[in-house]
Each structure stands twice: as C-alpha cells, then as structure tokens.
Amino acid sequence: MRTILEPERYREAVEESEKKFRHLAGLMPVGVYSTNEKGYLTFYNDRAAELWGRHPRLNDPTELRYCGALRLYNPDGTLLPRSECFMARTITEKKSFRNKELIFEGTNGILREVMVNIDPVFNDEGRFTGSITVFHDITRSRQAEDDLRRLASIIDSSQDAIISRSLDGTITSWNVGAEQIFGFEKNEILGESIATITPSIYEDEELSLIGKICRGESVDSLDTIRLDKNGNQIHVTLTFSPIKDSRNRVVGISMIARDNRDQMQIRRQLQVYNEQLKQLSQQKSQFIGMASHELKTPLTVIRGHLEWMALESQTNGHLHNNASVNKALIHIEKLSDLVSNLLDVSKVDQGMLNLNPSTYRLSDILLESIDSVRSTEATHEILLETDCDGLEVFVDKQRIEQAVINLLLNAIKYSPDADQVLVRCATDGKNAIVSVKDYGIGIPPDQVDKIFVRFFRVEGLAPTFSGLGVGLYITKEIINRHKGSIWVESTEGEGSTFYVKIPLDR
Ligand code: ADP
C-alpha cells in the first residue's frame, strides 16, 4: 500500500534520500554519475572525477555530454565518437547496457580501461529523466591478464620442460616443452603425481631437494634421470624453485627440466675422440722415443770415428783436415743434443723421466753448467753472483745441469745484441733460488704463459732463432720432478729472467 505524504514531507523525504544517495556514492570505490534527459551531467562522485582526471561542470550545456572523460575509445584503441557511446545510446534508445568496455582519456592524457554499466532513469509517471552510469577501472587487471598471456607464451615457446607441482607432488602445470620431452599431453598428466616421471630410485633425491626448498635453502641444479611416457630413461638437468603465495608461503614447486640426451651423446662422442687422441699422442711419443733412440747409435759411432780422425790428423800434422773434422764434430754434437731432447720429450710424455738424486753443492752444479756453455758459446760473458756458497741440494745433478744449461743457451740465443748473461743464486732458507737473466728480445706478455708448453715457440720469431720448442718443456718437467717451480719475468725488447726454485728439504 502506497503512503501519500504531505507535499512538504514528500519534499523533505526526497531531499533526505538524495543526500543519502550522494553520501553513498561518495563512499563507493567505483565511478558513479548521472545525466539529465539531454545527457548533461547532473552529479558525479569523487572516484568518477579521479578516473576522468577532471571535474566537469554540472548542468552546463557548454560542457561535454554523456561522460566526463575528454575522449572515448573502443577497446581496440580506435576513437569512439561521443554521440555513439553506450551512455549516449542510453539517452537516445532509453536502454540499459551491462559490462561494456571502453577507454577513457582524461585531461592529463592518461588512458584508463573501464567497464561501464548504464541504466536509463524514469520518474514515477514513467517519463524518461536521464541516466545513471557506474564504471570501474580495469586497466590493472587487463595489464595483469596481458602479462599472464605473455608469460604463458614464453613458457610455451621454451624448449625446456617447465612444470609446476603442489607440495604433495600433484602436477599443476605442464608446458609444450614438457610434452615434447616427456611425451605426455597436458590433459593426460595434469592432476597426476610427479612420481609418474620420477624413477623410484630417484624419489628420495627429489624429496630431499623439495624439503630444502621449503625450508628456504638454495638448491643447485641437478643432473639426473627421469622417465618419458614409454618408460624410457631421459638424462635431464633439473632446476627447482619455490612457488609462493601472496603471504610468502611456499605452496608449490616449479621445475625446469633440460633434455640432456644430445649433450650426453656429444659427451660420449667426445670421450671416444679423447681416447683416440690419447692413443695417437702415445703412439707419437713412442715413435719419437724410438726414432731418437735409433738415431743415437749411428750418431755415437760417427762421433767416435770423427774423434779418432781428429786425433790422427793432429798427430800427422794435417791441420786442414783437423779443422774440418772439428767442425763436423760440433755439428754432430748439436745433432745429438737435438736427438737427446726429443728422447727426453718422449720420456716426459710417457712419465718415464726418472731421477737419480744425491747431495751436491749447488755452486758446483752452476759452475759446471756455466763451464760447459762457455766451452761452446763465446759470444757472451756469463757472470755468477752467489749468496749460497756451500749450500747443498739433493738433486739429480745431470738433470739440474741440463735445466740450467737449457736456460743459459736460451739466454744467449735470444739476446743476439747483448754480451752478458747474469746467473744468481740465493736461498730463502727453505729453497734454493737460481735465476738466469738476459738482456735480449724478451717475451710478448700474451705468450709468457705458453712458453713451457711442448713444441711452443713465440709467434713471429725471426728464422735465425732455431729450435724445436722443447727445451723449456723438459726443463719445467725436470724442476717439477724435484718438487720445485720455474717461472719467468720478461719485458719485450729488454730481456727475460727465468727463476728456478728447488726445495732444500729432501
Ligand atoms: P726453443 O728451442 O724454441 O728455444 P724452448 O722450449 O727453449 O724452445 O723455448 C720456447 C720458446 O720460448 C722459444 O721458442 C722462445 O720463443 C721463448 N724463449 C725461451 N727462452 C727465452 C729467452 N731467454 N728470451 C726470449 N724468449 C725465450
């Protein structure tokens, strides 16, 4: 039954309810506004003004009609003429519209995606008096949806399997990569247990990792085995990370599986090649060893004959013959040094460079080495500075002499414009330290590290510097076998100093 109110009471009641409506609209987190029957704004709340970015004037025929936004666009970004928007159509067609999407542009140029609901308003007599529109900002949720879509397409374009699972092991997501690696389609595996692809012997391993992740500990990736749909074993690298909810609680685990089958095959192939290479290298060393050994015997015989001839020519006064024979002897000496070096390389390669150590005075070894070099090389003066008179070392004398002679011959060979080599000997109490310094061509800094490598020779060496690139390789091995060390300090164009450190402790 309708209650008829006094006109005065009726006006008060209308004013009261309008006040309540405005209050209510002011509290609402959505934009609310009304228009008159011509579409001019008659009311809007703060949220509406905020979303439009402006405060339009009310009941003003010079203001924009149907909506406070400066411009309107369709969801696809095309401009929407104001007279065609849903709010205008409500005025012309007197129709409601529900959940329509639009884009509003405010004075500040900010675009907002909004969802609008519009109703026409009729008075008690049924006459059309305007419209009411409620709208809310969906920009963020649209962006979140876009981000999600982008993420999903990244996940699906990955060749790795990206899988998520709940803490009880139920598979909750499965990308295209997972379908390709494991052979299960998404709809076959979602909701199944992760045990479907985990061989039982690896279940504990996975459980312990999951435990660590839940405790917030970091977990390294894991090379392991999983099963495909046909039960075949697949070599995979697994990387785990926690999935957390908005309250930072771990609610699941995401797992990235990289298929290592190709890599494993390449690794196996590489192993085979390595093995073959090792065998070839061994054969080469054996060959060098054998060839040098074979060459040594005829060389020794030739040297013997030459020495006999030299003696005979001296005795018979054939000085010319004597000089030739001596020259031949020098070259035979060089040849047998080369052969000895090659023989040593093959011994080093095969781990057969044996030592025969005993106690010697270091200065004796150095003096003998220097004398031996002086006898053949007259171009340089070799100076010896020693702080270790009487210092004894437990070494293979022949081998240490060989090492020192190598360094001295190099110092002379690689300093053609100098005339001095300086040998120093000192001790730090625990080691004997011998250095050989020259004033020669030096070594380029980018190649210093390589000079102890077998057959290495500095790039761009003048052809006058003959050699096989094995002297330092053998020298380093000799020093290493004595538990010592060898290194070089060098400046290109100024010279080099080689240091040898040998422990005094037997
Ligand atoms: P090589 O028979 O070539 O001298 P080594 O093994 O004795 O072989 O030396 C390796 C390379 O190191 C040499 O070819 C040379 O380029 C460089 N080298 C060695 N000693 C010196 C030095 N005292 N000064 C400059 N370069 C040197």
Side-chain angles (χ1 to χ4, degrees), residues 99-171:
N99 300 326
K100 298 296 180 193
E101 284 183 35
L102 287 177
I103 299 173
F104 285 178
E105 182 185 332
T107 339
N108 40 21
I110 293 177
L111 298 177
R112 290 188 193 272
E113 292 182 57
V114 292
M115 176 91 79
V116 295
N117 283 286
I118 320 146
D119 271 343
V121 180
F122 301 92
N123 69 8
D124 287 350
E125 283 83 48
R127 190 172 62 82
F128 173 70
T129 57
S131 68
I132 284 205
T133 303
V134 176
F135 64 102
H136 64 279
D137 188 358
I138 56 168
T139 317
R140 279 239 187 109
S141 60
R142 280 286 175 274
Q143 260 166 13
E145 278 171 27
D146 286 352
D147 287 351
L148 267 182
R149 258 195 296 275
R150 250 195 302 276
L151 207 63
S153 83
I154 291 172
I155 287 176
D156 267 343
S157 63
S158 163
Q159 288 185 349
D160 293 336
I162 303 177
I163 300 165
S164 63
R165 43 164 290 186
S166 58
L167 291 180
D168 69 1
T170 308
I171 296 172

Side-chain angles (χ1 to χ4, degrees), residues 172-184:
T172 48
S173 78
W174 187 262
N175 74 337
V176 176
E179 289 185 349
Q180 280 159 1
I181 293 176
F182 295 103
F184 288 102

Side-chain angles (χ1 to χ4, degrees), residues 410 413-414 438 441-443 451 456-458 461 467-472 496 498:
N410 274 352
K413 178 162 61 169
Y414 295 109
D438 67 57
I441 59 171
I443 302 161
I451 57 166
F456 179 82
R457 308 201 72 215
V458 164
L461 267 186
L468 293 179
V470 297
L472 288 180
S496 314
F498 283 79

Side-chain angles (χ1 to χ4, degrees), residues 362-374:
L362 183 58
S363 51
D364 289 347
I365 294 180
L366 293 178
L367 281 172
E368 278 180 41
S369 311
I370 292 170
D371 278 350
S372 149
V373 173
R374 271 187 194 137

